[in-house]
Amino acid sequence: MSHTVTITDNKTGKQLECPVHEGTYGDPVIDTSALNKELGMFTIDPGFGITASCRSSITYLDGEKGILLHRGYPIEQLAGQSTYLEVCYLLLYGELPTETEYDQFRAELNERNMVHEHLERFYSGYRYDAHPMAMMIGVTGALSSYYHEAMDLDDPLDRDLTAKRIIAKMPIMAAHCYKHSVGHPFVYSRDDLAYVENFLNMMFSVPMRDYEPSAIAVKALDLMLILHADHEQNASTSTVRLAGSAEANPFACITAGIVTLWGRAHGGANEAVLNMLGEIGDIKNIPQFIARAKDKEDSFRLMGFGHRVYKNFDPRAIIIRKACHDLLEAVDTVDQPLLDIAMALEEIALKDDYFIERKLYPNVDFYSGIILKALGIPTSMYTVMFSLARSVGWISQWLEMMEDPDFRIGRPRQLYIGAEKRDYVPIDKR
Ligand code: CMC
């Protein structure tokens, strides 16, 4: 505690001294937990815009300065020098792995590199044109019906094993969603391939031939996964924590995260961006879409613009924007007209007073779809890719919560504005 803040109830004159806690970085937080006991009040903060729901040492972001740190390491350094699996280890265990620790981590993931053969039957329950996110929700939820032998929530080893299972199995389930939608046979995971290569192989190899991704494609996908790995207490992560706080099955908690991520205001934005760019179709149509985004009578928003926390720039967007251009120079699969529309839209919006006043900048999802498109991943799979990347963030946050001495079930309060107490009227008297 650094100091206190005094809250005065001007109606009764009662006062409460609230402790103020300072973190390593960021604005201090006022501890209002005694408010109800002492003053008989709750707080209200729709959308949790100023409410810290937990203490966390995993990720820090500063929305004004555009800073994103994982366990203290800047995202720019991780994106430039690390790999997704190394970032997974960092998020889970708090430190970058030594070579031995990294090899052991990989070996342990490889041990879990399969899903139960019965899981295939869950896919066949879906129509070929089911949205892959709908399938992901179903099959990840189905994982909660396995692994009963290692489901003691009080056992750190069981919790760790669950985390590894999730990281190892998410790429398999994601690739199977795609294979189901195109009617191809599922491809098994391979130990001899690295995480990203293995995923691309499960996505694109067919019985007639293996898939050999280019080094640049592997690097671009690895980068995309790193940039989406964790993002502090966002909507899907908070959902995972809330479900986990009830001591629900962890696979079901991750499923709850996938459900939330699918929303177009959250992870669903990457798919929505590509659809929007396609709808714009030509640079000459941009002003018309900008006008719609500004029109309060129209529900249309510029997808991939704006962020609850980043009010200057999204550091992930800066990194991925450059990666888009690098990819464009290196491969001919980047959709140049689409990228041109994206660049022109960004330029026009950034000069527009509406977007300037509201501090609306392109976020990571504005560019990630262009990278995924260049890798041949279909638009409907974009949010699945996000869920694959974010699963490590979700499970790291879940692990942290389970070890937190302050851990208790999440239970927000409300301001009731409904009817006053009244008596039941029998149906024939209404
Ligand atoms: N296009 C047009 N206007 C916008 C946009 C947009 N993309 N985003 C916000 N605004 C306006 C909004 O209408 C409001 O205007 P006013 O003050 O006149 O009423 C103002 O900006 C503040 O918006 P808000 O809805 O209060 O902001 P929020 O913090 O609640 O929402 C957001 C953040 C990301 C949900 C929102 O900016 C949005 O819907 N963006 C488009 C979807 C998107 O790109 N989502 C991905 C977010 S980043 C990755 C992730 O989290 O998954």
Side-chain angles (χ1 to χ4, degrees):
M1 184 176 74
S2 66
H3 61 287
T4 58
V5 161
T6 307
I7 297 178
T8 307
D9 180 347
N10 291 331
K11 193 170 162 191
T12 62
K14 272 190 177 177
Q15 288 197 322
L16 172 68
E17 258 191 80
C18 298
V20 174
H21 304 294
E22 302 256 8
T24 316
Y25 297 122
D27 294 336
V29 300
I30 305 172
D31 181 345
T32 54
S33 52
L35 194 68
N36 187 256
K37 197 164 157 235
E38 299 300 327
L39 299 186
M41 291 181 203
F42 294 123
T43 56
I44 187 163
D45 172 24
F48 309 116
I50 56 157
T51 299
S53 61
C54 60
R55 288 179 168 82
S56 182
S57 45
I58 299 176
T59 292
Y60 171 72
L61 65 101
D62 181 327
E64 291 299 328
K65 298 194 184 121
I67 293 172
L68 173 59
L69 309 176
H70 291 316
R71 303 284 191 184
Y73 294 101
I75 190 65
E76 293 78 6
Q77 291 181 23
L78 295 173
Q81 297 170 55
S82 190
T83 62
Y84 176 67
L85 263 203
E86 203 179 42
V87 172
C88 286
Y89 188 97
L90 175 69
L91 290 170
L92 285 170
Y93 303 116
E95 295 297 335
L96 288 167
T98 60
E99 267 182 54
T100 317
E101 286 165 339
Y102 186 73
D103 289 345
Q104 194 183 332
F105 183 54
R106 271 202 61 185
E108 286 183 49
L109 293 183
N110 281 346
E111 277 305 302
R112 267 116 221 145
N113 236 348
M114 289 198 294
V115 289
H116 197 288
E117 201 70 6
H118 283 176
L119 207 68
E120 269 195 40
R121 299 189 196 158
F122 286 86
Y123 288 92
S124 50
Y126 288 97
R127 268 173 57 125
Y128 67 95
D129 60 351
H131 195 285
M133 279 300 273
M135 288 192 249
M136 274 309 272
I137 290 165
V139 292
T140 313
L143 284 190
S144 59
S145 62
Y146 300 90
Y147 315 120
H148 305 299
E149 85 293 348
M151 223 13 96
D152 181 356
L153 295 179
D154 298 323
D155 183 342
L157 291 177
D158 277 10
R159 295 198 299 259
D160 183 63
L161 179 55
T162 300
K164 288 184 180 125
R165 281 189 163 135
I166 283 167
I167 296 166
K169 293 177 200 309
M170 283 292 282
I172 304 175
M173 294 187 297
H176 286 189
C177 287
Y178 171 65
K179 287 298 195 191
H180 178 73
S181 66
V182 289
H184 289 178
F186 294 162
V187 177
Y188 287 106
S189 194
R190 274 179 35 192
D191 272 13
D192 59 321
L193 297 177
Y195 195 80
V196 169
E197 282 93 333
N198 184 41
F199 171 72
L200 288 170
N201 189 60
M202 288 189 290
M203 282 283 287
F204 298 122
S205 73
V206 283
M208 307 80 80
R209 77 191 77 90
D210 275 350
Y211 176 76
E212 282 177 24
S214 67
I216 185 113
V218 171
K219 194 161 171 263
L221 185 54
D222 200 60
L223 176 78
M224 186 265 163
L225 296 179
I226 292 175
L227 295 181
H228 288 80
D230 189 50
H231 214 224
E232 206 263 20
Q233 309 311 320
N234 55 81
S236 55
T237 303
S238 296
T239 307
V240 172
R241 276 186 178 257
L242 194 58
S245 79
E247 305 192 32
N249 178 291
F251 295 102
C253 296
I254 297 299
T255 311
I258 300 175
V259 170
T260 308
L261 189 77
W262 195 7
R264 63 179 180 176
H266 194 7
N270 57 11
E271 181 179 343
V273 168
L274 257 276
N275 291 336
M276 177 188 75
L277 294 176
E279 226 185 298
I280 295 175
D282 195 296
I283 291 176
K284 70 175 187 321
N285 299 328
I286 291 177
Q288 172 194 330
F289 280 82
I290 298 260
R292 281 189 61 197
K294 289 158 49 173
D295 181 357
K296 294 289 160 202
E297 302 299 309
D298 191 331
S299 62
F300 174 77
R301 283 186 167 197
L302 274 195
M303 287 292 123
F305 267 77
H307 196 276
R308 170 62 63 78
V309 184
Y310 292 125
K311 297 298 174 197
N312 251 325
F313 64 91
D314 179 341
R316 302 166 303 169
I318 307 278
I319 299 168
I320 207 162
R321 182 182 197 271
K322 183 174 176 308
C324 275
H325 286 283
D326 292 349
L327 199 61
L328 181 71
E329 278 168 29
V331 299
D332 54 10
T333 48
V334 174
D335 192 329
Q336 179 64 49
L338 219 57
L339 188 59
D340 287 345
I341 295 172
M343 294 300 146
L345 179 63
E346 180 190 33
E347 204 185 326
I348 296 170
L350 289 180
K351 286 188 190 136
D352 191 296
D353 282 347
Y354 174 94
F355 292 90
I356 294 169
E357 280 160 18
R358 288 167 182 76
K359 301 188 171 184
L360 300 170
Y361 296 88
N363 56 52
V364 67
D365 287 334
F366 190 68
Y367 294 103
S368 61
I370 296 171
I371 293 219
L372 295 173
K373 192 171 195 330
L375 298 178
I377 295 172
T379 316
S380 63
M381 279 290 291
Y382 291 1
T383 316
V384 170
M385 298 304 297
F386 193 159
S387 71
L388 158 56
R390 183 56 59 84
S391 54
V392 67
W394 291 329
I395 202 66
S396 303
Q397 300 268 351
W398 177 82
L399 285 172
E400 181 177 66
M401 183 191 69
M402 298 303 286
E403 286 160 16
D404 188 341
D406 290 341
F407 168 66
R408 59 183 191 146
I409 189 167
R411 179 40 169 107
R413 304 307 296 244
Q414 63 167 12
L415 176 64
Y416 175 70
I417 54 166
E420 289 183 3
K421 180 173 178 292
R422 48 191 170 159
D423 290 325
Y424 178 81
V425 180
I427 195 160
D428 57 329
K429 304 251 164 45
R430 281 176 221 156

